[in-house]
Amino acid sequence: MVRRQQHRRVRGVVVAVGVVGCLGAGAVGCGRGDAVTGGAPAGDPVRVLHRAADALVQAGTSKARTSLEMATGGTRVTVRGQGVYDYRKRIGRLKVLLPQDPAGAAARRPITELLAPGALFMKNRGAGVPDDKWVRVDTGTLSDGNLVTGGATDPFAAAEVLRGTRAATFVGRTEVAGAKVRHYRGTADLERAARAASEANREPLRAAAKGFATARVPFDVYLDDQGRIRKVRHRFSFVNGRKDEPVAVASTTLLYDFGAPVDVRLPEGGDIYAGRIAEE
């Protein structure tokens, strides 16, 4: 019962923001390594995007900024994050900033999130959790595959969604944070992405394909001339537990400072909270 309660509460991490009726909230803000000087790159955009995640693995690490945005009932909620990620070890750390309580209470403490293969660890998760303890969640059991629940999308999972690209077009050349990039727009299929994903993301993406209102994910992505994702924006759709109509969520991930040092130590068993999380 305790574990079920913990799981139920963690899935509602964005509910803890204090937005009535919300399950999650959020918004934030190329293929080959061949350098181009202008115009559309050679090759099929779909194949280019299928390889975008591999370019991140080759890059090794980066810093990341995330944003998760949801508008419902005339209210827009944004959850922002910032941190680092190691694409080879599939681990990262984000500090997630929750919006202020709509009732006017003091600003909430940032949630520290550690991203690891198959798991999400959160500190300052919520009421009832000691300050020195972490809450652990099995991402393969989340109905959204942790693309929304944590208030941020795992940077490598965001990249692996592109492995499911079914249709894409080259929009043009532009810049993102001072980097020259190629802009693509398309639609990915989560079921196809799950089949092509790394082992760690296979089950989470498969869960998302079943848990979202639709497995189709529209996106805009910006790739530099080394094929690395500089910015990707996904638009997810899920069914809110209190309403029948789907809720649209926009998730944006910005990647920069490739090669940045990443030192992430996962919690030991004794550091993980096993008790009941109090209602907020």
Side-chain angles (χ1 to χ4, degrees):
M1 286 296 293
V2 170
R3 295 184 63 182
R4 287 198 296 270
Q5 174 71 5
Q6 175 178 322
H7 172 62
R8 183 179 69 81
R9 292 288 298 142
V10 169
R11 286 185 55 190
V13 62
V14 184
V15 180
V17 172
V19 181
V20 177
C22 296
L23 287 179
V28 191
C30 277
R32 298 180 55 178
D34 302 13
V36 295
T37 57
D44 177 13
V46 172
R47 293 185 178 181
V48 167
L49 297 177
H50 284 173
R51 295 190 291 266
D54 297 330
L56 293 182
V57 175
Q58 184 175 1
T61 65
S62 79
K63 294 183 180 179
R65 290 179 184 150
T66 66
S67 173
L68 207 64
E69 182 180 87
M70 181 178 69
T72 181
T75 301
R76 183 177 298 276
V77 178
T78 302
V79 181
R80 303 187 186 278
Q82 185 170 351
V84 293
Y85 199 92
D86 187 319
Y87 303 99
R88 294 172 183 170
K89 296 180 180 178
R90 310 291 199 268
I91 59 175
R93 180 180 60 251
L94 294 174
K95 179 175 287 187
V96 177
L97 302 177
L98 302 179
Q100 185 175 359
D101 190 321
R108 298 175 184 272
R109 291 187 301 171
I111 294 176
T112 300
E113 297 187 356
L114 301 182
L115 309 168
L120 168 67
F121 299 88
M122 293 182 286
K123 182 174 280 189
N124 296 335
R125 161 57 188 83
V129 180
D131 290 344
D132 62 341
K133 295 294 184 180
W134 295 83
V135 173
R136 184 189 186 281
V137 187
D138 180 355
T139 54
T141 66
L142 298 175
S143 62
D144 67 283
N146 196 35
L147 295 174
V148 172
T149 291
T153 301
D154 179 303
F156 193 64
E160 293 220 278
V161 168
L162 299 180
R163 295 192 192 276
T165 300
R166 288 194 174 275
T169 59
F170 173 71
V171 178
R173 298 280 297 188
T174 184
E175 289 190 3
V176 170
K180 295 181 179 180
V181 295
R182 304 192 297 271
H183 178 191
Y184 295 88
R185 179 172 295 142
T187 303
D189 182 274
L190 289 172
E191 293 179 352
R192 180 172 180 175
R195 291 194 296 269
S198 61
E199 183 177 356
N201 282 327
R202 205 164 294 154
E203 284 304 317
L205 289 176
R206 187 175 290 123
K210 297 177 181 179
F212 280 130
T214 173
R216 293 170 56 87
V217 179
F219 65 82
D220 281 86
V221 62
Y222 302 80
L223 308 180
D224 65 18
D225 291 339
Q226 287 70 51
R228 304 172 302 193
I229 296 172
R230 291 295 185 133
K231 180 180 178 181
V232 59
R233 180 178 175 88
H234 298 102
R235 289 171 290 282
F236 302 115
S237 179
F238 70 92
V239 177
N240 192 324
R242 301 191 182 188
K243 299 180 180 179
D244 293 331
E245 67 270 18
V247 177
V249 178
S251 173
T252 304
T253 303
L254 182 70
L255 304 178
Y256 61 102
D257 199 1
F258 290 96
V262 175
D263 182 12
V264 176
R265 299 181 182 181
L266 300 181
E268 300 290 341
D271 298 324
I272 299 174
Y273 183 65
R276 183 182 300 274
I277 300 176
E279 296 288 338
E280 294 190 329

mmCIF file of all heavy atoms in Angstrom, residues 224-263:
data_model
loop_
_atom_site.group_PDB
_atom_site.id
_atom_site.type_symbol
_atom_site.label_atom_id
_atom_site.label_comp_id
_atom_site.label_asym_id
_atom_site.label_seq_id
_atom_site.Cartn_x
_atom_site.Cartn_y
_atom_site.Cartn_z
ATOM 1 N N ASP A 224 22.583 21.174 -35.198
ATOM 2 C CA ASP A 224 23.757 21.900 -35.677
ATOM 3 C C ASP A 224 24.448 21.083 -36.771
ATOM 4 O O ASP A 224 23.990 19.991 -37.143
ATOM 5 C CB ASP A 224 24.692 22.265 -34.526
ATOM 6 C CG ASP A 224 25.311 21.061 -33.826
ATOM 7 O OD1 ASP A 224 25.318 19.951 -34.410
ATOM 8 O OD2 ASP A 224 25.784 21.215 -32.684
ATOM 9 N N ASP A 225 25.568 21.586 -37.283
ATOM 10 C CA ASP A 225 26.212 20.938 -38.410
ATOM 11 C C ASP A 225 26.961 19.671 -38.025
ATOM 12 O O ASP A 225 27.478 18.971 -38.893
ATOM 13 C CB ASP A 225 27.160 21.923 -39.109
ATOM 14 C CG ASP A 225 26.406 23.028 -39.825
ATOM 15 O OD1 ASP A 225 25.212 22.831 -40.118
ATOM 16 O OD2 ASP A 225 27.009 24.087 -40.093
ATOM 17 N N GLN A 226 27.029 19.361 -36.732
ATOM 18 C CA GLN A 226 27.562 18.079 -36.279
ATOM 19 C C GLN A 226 26.444 17.073 -36.020
ATOM 20 O O GLN A 226 26.693 15.977 -35.524
ATOM 21 C CB GLN A 226 28.392 18.270 -34.996
ATOM 22 C CG GLN A 226 29.752 18.933 -35.214
ATOM 23 C CD GLN A 226 29.632 20.393 -35.574
ATOM 24 O OE1 GLN A 226 28.938 21.157 -34.891
ATOM 25 N NE2 GLN A 226 30.275 20.799 -36.654
ATOM 26 N N GLY A 227 25.217 17.458 -36.344
ATOM 27 C CA GLY A 227 24.084 16.562 -36.160
ATOM 28 C C GLY A 227 23.527 16.536 -34.758
ATOM 29 O O GLY A 227 22.656 15.719 -34.447
ATOM 30 N N ARG A 228 24.015 17.411 -33.879
ATOM 31 C CA ARG A 228 23.570 17.411 -32.492
ATOM 32 C C ARG A 228 22.318 18.255 -32.315
ATOM 33 O O ARG A 228 22.192 19.324 -32.908
ATOM 34 C CB ARG A 228 24.677 17.961 -31.586
ATOM 35 C CG ARG A 228 25.985 17.212 -31.707
ATOM 36 C CD ARG A 228 27.121 17.893 -30.959
ATOM 37 N NE ARG A 228 27.358 19.265 -31.414
ATOM 38 C CZ ARG A 228 28.448 19.973 -31.099
ATOM 39 N NH1 ARG A 228 29.384 19.425 -30.336
ATOM 40 N NH2 ARG A 228 28.593 21.209 -31.530
ATOM 41 N N ILE A 229 21.409 17.785 -31.488
ATOM 42 C CA ILE A 229 20.205 18.545 -31.186
ATOM 43 C C ILE A 229 20.583 19.758 -30.351
ATOM 44 O O ILE A 229 21.222 19.624 -29.312
ATOM 45 C CB ILE A 229 19.183 17.682 -30.422
ATOM 46 C CG1 ILE A 229 18.710 16.517 -31.286
ATOM 47 C CG2 ILE A 229 17.993 18.531 -29.967
ATOM 48 C CD1 ILE A 229 17.849 15.525 -30.538
ATOM 49 N N ARG A 230 20.190 20.924 -30.802
ATOM 50 C CA ARG A 230 20.369 22.144 -30.014
ATOM 51 C C ARG A 230 19.074 22.533 -29.318
ATOM 52 O O ARG A 230 19.087 23.091 -28.232
ATOM 53 C CB ARG A 230 20.847 23.288 -30.911
ATOM 54 C CG ARG A 230 22.261 23.109 -31.424
ATOM 55 C CD ARG A 230 23.258 23.133 -30.288
ATOM 56 N NE ARG A 230 24.643 23.085 -30.742
ATOM 57 C CZ ARG A 230 25.600 23.888 -30.297
ATOM 58 N NH1 ARG A 230 25.337 24.790 -29.377
ATOM 59 N NH2 ARG A 230 26.831 23.766 -30.747
ATOM 60 N N LYS A 231 17.976 22.233 -29.968
ATOM 61 C CA LYS A 231 16.667 22.524 -29.379
ATOM 62 C C LYS A 231 15.638 21.584 -29.993
ATOM 63 O O LYS A 231 15.647 21.346 -31.196
ATOM 64 C CB LYS A 231 16.273 23.983 -29.640
ATOM 65 C CG LYS A 231 14.923 24.385 -29.061
ATOM 66 C CD LYS A 231 14.626 25.848 -29.374
ATOM 67 C CE LYS A 231 13.272 26.279 -28.848
ATOM 68 N NZ LYS A 231 12.983 27.702 -29.173
ATOM 69 N N VAL A 232 14.770 21.046 -29.144
ATOM 70 C CA VAL A 232 13.675 20.220 -29.640
ATOM 71 C C VAL A 232 12.423 20.542 -28.831
ATOM 72 O O VAL A 232 12.476 20.690 -27.611
ATOM 73 C CB VAL A 232 14.012 18.707 -29.567
ATOM 74 C CG1 VAL A 232 14.325 18.268 -28.140
ATOM 75 C CG2 VAL A 232 12.876 17.879 -30.152
ATOM 76 N N ARG A 233 11.335 20.673 -29.520
ATOM 77 C CA ARG A 233 10.051 20.982 -28.894
ATOM 78 C C ARG A 233 9.040 19.918 -29.323
ATOM 79 O O ARG A 233 8.750 19.767 -30.514
ATOM 80 C CB ARG A 233 9.566 22.372 -29.296
ATOM 81 C CG ARG A 233 8.221 22.782 -28.687
ATOM 82 C CD ARG A 233 7.866 24.196 -29.112
ATOM 83 N NE ARG A 233 6.543 24.616 -28.669
ATOM 84 C CZ ARG A 233 6.288 25.192 -27.499
ATOM 85 N NH1 ARG A 233 7.279 25.411 -26.648
ATOM 86 N NH2 ARG A 233 5.064 25.544 -27.166
ATOM 87 N N HIS A 234 8.535 19.183 -28.333
ATOM 88 C CA HIS A 234 7.519 18.165 -28.589
ATOM 89 C C HIS A 234 6.166 18.659 -28.085
ATOM 90 O O HIS A 234 6.102 19.407 -27.107
ATOM 91 C CB HIS A 234 7.841 16.864 -27.838
ATOM 92 C CG HIS A 234 9.122 16.213 -28.243
ATOM 93 N ND1 HIS A 234 10.265 16.303 -27.487
ATOM 94 C CD2 HIS A 234 9.443 15.466 -29.323
ATOM 95 C CE1 HIS A 234 11.238 15.627 -28.075
ATOM 96 N NE2 HIS A 234 10.774 15.115 -29.190
ATOM 97 N N ARG A 235 5.112 18.180 -28.712
ATOM 98 C CA ARG A 235 3.759 18.480 -28.252
ATOM 99 C C ARG A 235 3.054 17.151 -27.956
ATOM 100 O O ARG A 235 2.669 16.424 -28.867
ATOM 101 C CB ARG A 235 3.013 19.314 -29.300
ATOM 102 C CG ARG A 235 3.558 20.731 -29.391
ATOM 103 C CD ARG A 235 2.996 21.524 -30.549
ATOM 104 N NE ARG A 235 3.464 21.060 -31.841
ATOM 105 C CZ ARG A 235 4.675 21.335 -32.343
ATOM 106 N NH1 ARG A 235 5.548 22.034 -31.644
ATOM 107 N NH2 ARG A 235 5.012 20.886 -33.529
ATOM 108 N N PHE A 236 2.934 16.876 -26.658
ATOM 109 C CA PHE A 236 2.311 15.637 -26.204
ATOM 110 C C PHE A 236 0.830 15.863 -25.910
ATOM 111 O O PHE A 236 0.402 16.984 -25.648
ATOM 112 C CB PHE A 236 2.994 15.124 -24.936
ATOM 113 C CG PHE A 236 4.468 14.876 -25.092
ATOM 114 C CD1 PHE A 236 5.395 15.624 -24.380
ATOM 115 C CD2 PHE A 236 4.930 13.896 -25.947
ATOM 116 C CE1 PHE A 236 6.752 15.391 -24.504
ATOM 117 C CE2 PHE A 236 6.285 13.648 -26.094
ATOM 118 C CZ PHE A 236 7.205 14.410 -25.371
ATOM 119 N N SER A 237 0.068 14.785 -25.901
ATOM 120 C CA SER A 237 -1.358 14.872 -25.598
ATOM 121 C C SER A 237 -1.724 13.728 -24.662
ATOM 122 O O SER A 237 -1.486 12.566 -24.965
ATOM 123 C CB SER A 237 -2.184 14.780 -26.894
ATOM 124 O OG SER A 237 -3.563 14.837 -26.611
ATOM 125 N N PHE A 238 -2.279 14.066 -23.489
ATOM 126 C CA PHE A 238 -2.692 13.035 -22.551
ATOM 127 C C PHE A 238 -4.083 13.347 -22.030
ATOM 128 O O PHE A 238 -4.599 14.456 -22.188
ATOM 129 C CB PHE A 238 -1.690 12.903 -21.390
ATOM 130 C CG PHE A 238 -1.685 14.069 -20.441
ATOM 131 C CD1 PHE A 238 -2.488 14.074 -19.317
ATOM 132 C CD2 PHE A 238 -0.861 15.161 -20.677
ATOM 133 C CE1 PHE A 238 -2.479 15.145 -18.442
ATOM 134 C CE2 PHE A 238 -0.836 16.235 -19.804
ATOM 135 C CZ PHE A 238 -1.657 16.228 -18.685
ATOM 136 N N VAL A 239 -4.701 12.358 -21.413
ATOM 137 C CA VAL A 239 -6.049 12.529 -20.878
ATOM 138 C C VAL A 239 -5.938 12.814 -19.395
ATOM 139 O O VAL A 239 -5.415 12.000 -18.631
ATOM 140 C CB VAL A 239 -6.915 11.288 -21.111
ATOM 141 C CG1 VAL A 239 -8.292 11.477 -20.470
ATOM 142 C CG2 VAL A 239 -7.057 11.014 -22.598
ATOM 143 N N ASN A 240 -6.402 13.980 -18.984
ATOM 144 C CA ASN A 240 -6.397 14.356 -17.574
ATOM 145 C C ASN A 240 -7.350 13.452 -16.810
ATOM 146 O O ASN A 240 -8.448 13.146 -17.285
ATOM 147 C CB ASN A 240 -6.832 15.827 -17.441
ATOM 148 C CG ASN A 240 -6.588 16.380 -16.059
ATOM 149 O OD1 ASN A 240 -6.736 15.688 -15.064
ATOM 150 N ND2 ASN A 240 -6.222 17.644 -15.992
ATOM 151 N N GLY A 241 -6.947 13.016 -15.631
ATOM 152 C CA GLY A 241 -7.768 12.096 -14.853
ATOM 153 C C GLY A 241 -9.105 12.668 -14.451
ATOM 154 O O GLY A 241 -10.034 11.942 -14.143
ATOM 155 N N ARG A 242 -9.256 14.016 -14.437
ATOM 156 C CA ARG A 242 -10.518 14.626 -14.012
ATOM 157 C C ARG A 242 -11.366 15.093 -15.189
ATOM 158 O O ARG A 242 -12.443 15.603 -15.003
ATOM 159 C CB ARG A 242 -10.219 15.812 -13.096
ATOM 160 C CG ARG A 242 -9.418 15.420 -11.848
ATOM 161 C CD ARG A 242 -9.373 16.556 -10.849
ATOM 162 N NE ARG A 242 -8.570 16.212 -9.693
ATOM 163 C CZ ARG A 242 -8.493 16.953 -8.607
ATOM 164 N NH1 ARG A 242 -9.163 18.082 -8.531
ATOM 165 N NH2 ARG A 242 -7.735 16.594 -7.590
ATOM 166 N N LYS A 243 -10.830 14.959 -16.390
ATOM 167 C CA LYS A 243 -11.566 15.372 -17.570
ATOM 168 C C LYS A 243 -11.401 14.315 -18.638
ATOM 169 O O LYS A 243 -10.438 13.566 -18.665
ATOM 170 C CB LYS A 243 -11.063 16.731 -18.089
ATOM 171 C CG LYS A 243 -11.223 17.872 -17.093
ATOM 172 C CD LYS A 243 -10.695 19.180 -17.679
ATOM 173 C CE LYS A 243 -10.838 20.322 -16.695
ATOM 174 N NZ LYS A 243 -10.312 21.600 -17.247
ATOM 175 N N ASP A 244 -12.370 14.277 -19.567
ATOM 176 C CA ASP A 244 -12.313 13.292 -20.633
ATOM 177 C C ASP A 244 -11.517 13.784 -21.828
ATOM 178 O O ASP A 244 -10.956 12.988 -22.575
ATOM 179 C CB ASP A 244 -13.736 12.923 -21.091
ATOM 180 C CG ASP A 244 -14.504 12.192 -20.003
ATOM 181 O OD1 ASP A 244 -13.850 11.507 -19.194
ATOM 182 O OD2 ASP A 244 -15.739 12.310 -19.962
ATOM 183 N N GLU A 245 -11.464 15.097 -22.030
ATOM 184 C CA GLU A 245 -10.783 15.610 -23.216
ATOM 185 C C GLU A 245 -9.272 15.610 -23.011
ATOM 186 O O GLU A 245 -8.776 15.805 -21.907
ATOM 187 C CB GLU A 245 -11.275 17.025 -23.558
ATOM 188 C CG GLU A 245 -10.892 18.089 -22.534
ATOM 189 C CD GLU A 245 -11.933 18.248 -21.451
ATOM 190 O OE1 GLU A 245 -12.770 17.329 -21.295
ATOM 191 O OE2 GLU A 245 -11.904 19.291 -20.752
ATOM 192 N N PRO A 246 -8.515 15.383 -24.106
ATOM 193 C CA PRO A 246 -7.047 15.386 -24.007
ATOM 194 C C PRO A 246 -6.514 16.762 -23.625
ATOM 195 O O PRO A 246 -7.107 17.791 -23.927
ATOM 196 C CB PRO A 246 -6.614 15.010 -25.439
ATOM 197 C CG PRO A 246 -7.793 14.346 -26.049
ATOM 198 C CD PRO A 246 -8.982 15.028 -25.447
ATOM 199 N N VAL A 247 -5.396 16.764 -22.924
ATOM 200 C CA VAL A 247 -4.705 17.989 -22.531
ATOM 201 C C VAL A 247 -3.400 18.065 -23.310
ATOM 202 O O VAL A 247 -2.646 17.091 -23.373
ATOM 203 C CB VAL A 247 -4.426 18.002 -21.024
ATOM 204 C CG1 VAL A 247 -3.637 19.247 -20.640
ATOM 205 C CG2 VAL A 247 -5.730 17.926 -20.234
ATOM 206 N N ALA A 248 -3.143 19.209 -23.918
ATOM 207 C CA ALA A 248 -1.919 19.381 -24.705
ATOM 208 C C ALA A 248 -0.806 19.906 -23.809
ATOM 209 O O ALA A 248 -0.994 20.842 -23.040
ATOM 210 C CB ALA A 248 -2.172 20.344 -25.856
ATOM 211 N N VAL A 249 0.360 19.292 -23.914
ATOM 212 C CA VAL A 249 1.532 19.693 -23.156
ATOM 213 C C VAL A 249 2.671 19.940 -24.136
ATOM 214 O O VAL A 249 2.929 19.111 -25.015
ATOM 215 C CB VAL A 249 1.953 18.606 -22.147
ATOM 216 C CG1 VAL A 249 3.206 19.019 -21.408
ATOM 217 C CG2 VAL A 249 0.823 18.333 -21.167
ATOM 218 N N ALA A 250 3.354 21.058 -24.000
ATOM 219 C CA ALA A 250 4.510 21.366 -24.839
ATOM 220 C C ALA A 250 5.775 21.228 -24.003
ATOM 221 O O ALA A 250 5.889 21.802 -22.928
ATOM 222 C CB ALA A 250 4.400 22.782 -25.400
ATOM 223 N N SER A 251 6.717 20.438 -24.485
ATOM 224 C CA SER A 251 7.980 20.223 -23.790
ATOM 225 C C SER A 251 9.119 20.682 -24.683
ATOM 226 O O SER A 251 9.229 20.235 -25.824
ATOM 227 C CB SER A 251 8.157 18.737 -23.455
ATOM 228 O OG SER A 251 9.449 18.493 -22.931
ATOM 229 N N THR A 252 9.961 21.569 -24.171
ATOM 230 C CA THR A 252 11.096 22.079 -24.936
ATOM 231 C C THR A 252 12.383 21.768 -24.198
ATOM 232 O O THR A 252 12.482 21.969 -22.988
ATOM 233 C CB THR A 252 10.983 23.605 -25.153
ATOM 234 O OG1 THR A 252 9.739 23.880 -25.782
ATOM 235 C CG2 THR A 252 12.120 24.110 -26.003
ATOM 236 N N THR A 253 13.361 21.255 -24.929
ATOM 237 C CA THR A 253 14.665 20.942 -24.369
ATOM 238 C C THR A 253 15.726 21.676 -25.170
ATOM 239 O O THR A 253 15.782 21.550 -26.397
ATOM 240 C CB THR A 253 14.932 19.426 -24.408
ATOM 241 O OG1 THR A 253 13.894 18.742 -23.705
ATOM 242 C CG2 THR A 253 16.269 19.089 -23.769
ATOM 243 N N LEU A 254 16.558 22.436 -24.485
ATOM 244 C CA LEU A 254 17.644 23.197 -25.109
ATOM 245 C C LEU A 254 18.965 22.591 -24.636
ATOM 246 O O LEU A 254 19.210 22.485 -23.430
ATOM 247 C CB LEU A 254 17.555 24.666 -24.706
ATOM 248 C CG LEU A 254 18.579 25.626 -25.310
ATOM 249 C CD1 LEU A 254 18.330 25.820 -26.795
ATOM 250 C CD2 LEU A 254 18.532 26.973 -24.592
ATOM 251 N N LEU A 255 19.828 22.206 -25.583
ATOM 252 C CA LEU A 255 21.109 21.577 -25.261
ATOM 253 C C LEU A 255 22.253 22.486 -25.703
ATOM 254 O O LEU A 255 22.229 23.036 -26.807
ATOM 255 C CB LEU A 255 21.223 20.214 -25.952
ATOM 256 C CG LEU A 255 20.088 19.222 -25.647
ATOM 257 C CD1 LEU A 255 20.300 17.936 -26.424
ATOM 258 C CD2 LEU A 255 19.980 18.948 -24.151
ATOM 259 N N TYR A 256 23.272 22.620 -24.844
ATOM 260 C CA TYR A 256 24.383 23.526 -25.151
ATOM 261 C C TYR A 256 25.608 23.121 -24.325
ATOM 262 O O TYR A 256 25.537 22.235 -23.475
ATOM 263 C CB TYR A 256 23.991 24.971 -24.834
ATOM 264 C CG TYR A 256 23.655 25.229 -23.381
ATOM 265 C CD1 TYR A 256 24.566 25.848 -22.526
ATOM 266 C CD2 TYR A 256 22.423 24.832 -22.853
ATOM 267 C CE1 TYR A 256 24.266 26.075 -21.194
ATOM 268 C CE2 TYR A 256 22.119 25.056 -21.515
ATOM 269 C CZ TYR A 256 23.039 25.676 -20.690
ATOM 270 O OH TYR A 256 22.738 25.887 -19.372
ATOM 271 N N ASP A 257 26.731 23.764 -24.597
ATOM 272 C CA ASP A 257 27.986 23.511 -23.888
ATOM 273 C C ASP A 257 28.319 22.021 -23.902
ATOM 274 O O ASP A 257 28.518 21.393 -22.854
ATOM 275 C CB ASP A 257 27.903 24.033 -22.447
ATOM 276 C CG ASP A 257 29.284 24.230 -21.825
ATOM 277 O OD1 ASP A 257 30.291 23.974 -22.525
ATOM 278 O OD2 ASP A 257 29.366 24.625 -20.644
ATOM 279 N N PHE A 258 28.420 21.459 -25.109
ATOM 280 C CA PHE A 258 28.748 20.038 -25.248
ATOM 281 C C PHE A 258 30.155 19.770 -24.722
ATOM 282 O O PHE A 258 31.078 20.553 -24.917
ATOM 283 C CB PHE A 258 28.624 19.612 -26.707
ATOM 284 C CG PHE A 258 27.201 19.575 -27.182
ATOM 285 C CD1 PHE A 258 26.640 20.650 -27.858
ATOM 286 C CD2 PHE A 258 26.417 18.459 -26.938
ATOM 287 C CE1 PHE A 258 25.323 20.614 -28.275
ATOM 288 C CE2 PHE A 258 25.097 18.412 -27.361
ATOM 289 C CZ PHE A 258 24.551 19.501 -28.025
ATOM 290 N N GLY A 259 30.299 18.630 -24.039
ATOM 291 C CA GLY A 259 31.562 18.280 -23.419
ATOM 292 C C GLY A 259 31.692 18.762 -21.986
ATOM 293 O O GLY A 259 32.730 18.537 -21.349
ATOM 294 N N ALA A 260 30.660 19.421 -21.455
ATOM 295 C CA ALA A 260 30.696 19.912 -20.064
ATOM 296 C C ALA A 260 30.857 18.735 -19.099
ATOM 297 O O ALA A 260 30.324 17.642 -19.333
ATOM 298 C CB ALA A 260 29.416 20.674 -19.744
ATOM 299 N N PRO A 261 31.576 18.923 -17.994
ATOM 300 C CA PRO A 261 31.748 17.833 -17.031
ATOM 301 C C PRO A 261 30.415 17.457 -16.369
ATOM 302 O O PRO A 261 29.608 18.328 -16.051
ATOM 303 C CB PRO A 261 32.727 18.407 -16.006
ATOM 304 C CG PRO A 261 32.603 19.894 -16.147
ATOM 305 C CD PRO A 261 32.295 20.146 -17.591
ATOM 306 N N VAL A 262 30.197 16.176 -16.189
ATOM 307 C CA VAL A 262 28.977 15.673 -15.552
ATOM 308 C C VAL A 262 29.382 14.717 -14.432
ATOM 309 O O VAL A 262 29.983 13.671 -14.676
ATOM 310 C CB VAL A 262 28.065 14.947 -16.563
ATOM 311 C CG1 VAL A 262 26.863 14.333 -15.841
ATOM 312 C CG2 VAL A 262 27.607 15.905 -17.651
ATOM 313 N N ASP A 263 29.060 15.076 -13.211
ATOM 314 C CA ASP A 263 29.364 14.244 -12.049
ATOM 315 C C ASP A 263 28.062 13.986 -11.298
ATOM 316 O O ASP A 263 27.597 14.818 -10.519
ATOM 317 C CB ASP A 263 30.384 14.935 -11.149
ATOM 318 C CG ASP A 263 30.785 14.080 -9.947
ATOM 319 O OD1 ASP A 263 30.449 12.870 -9.946
ATOM 320 O OD2 ASP A 263 31.407 14.614 -9.013
#
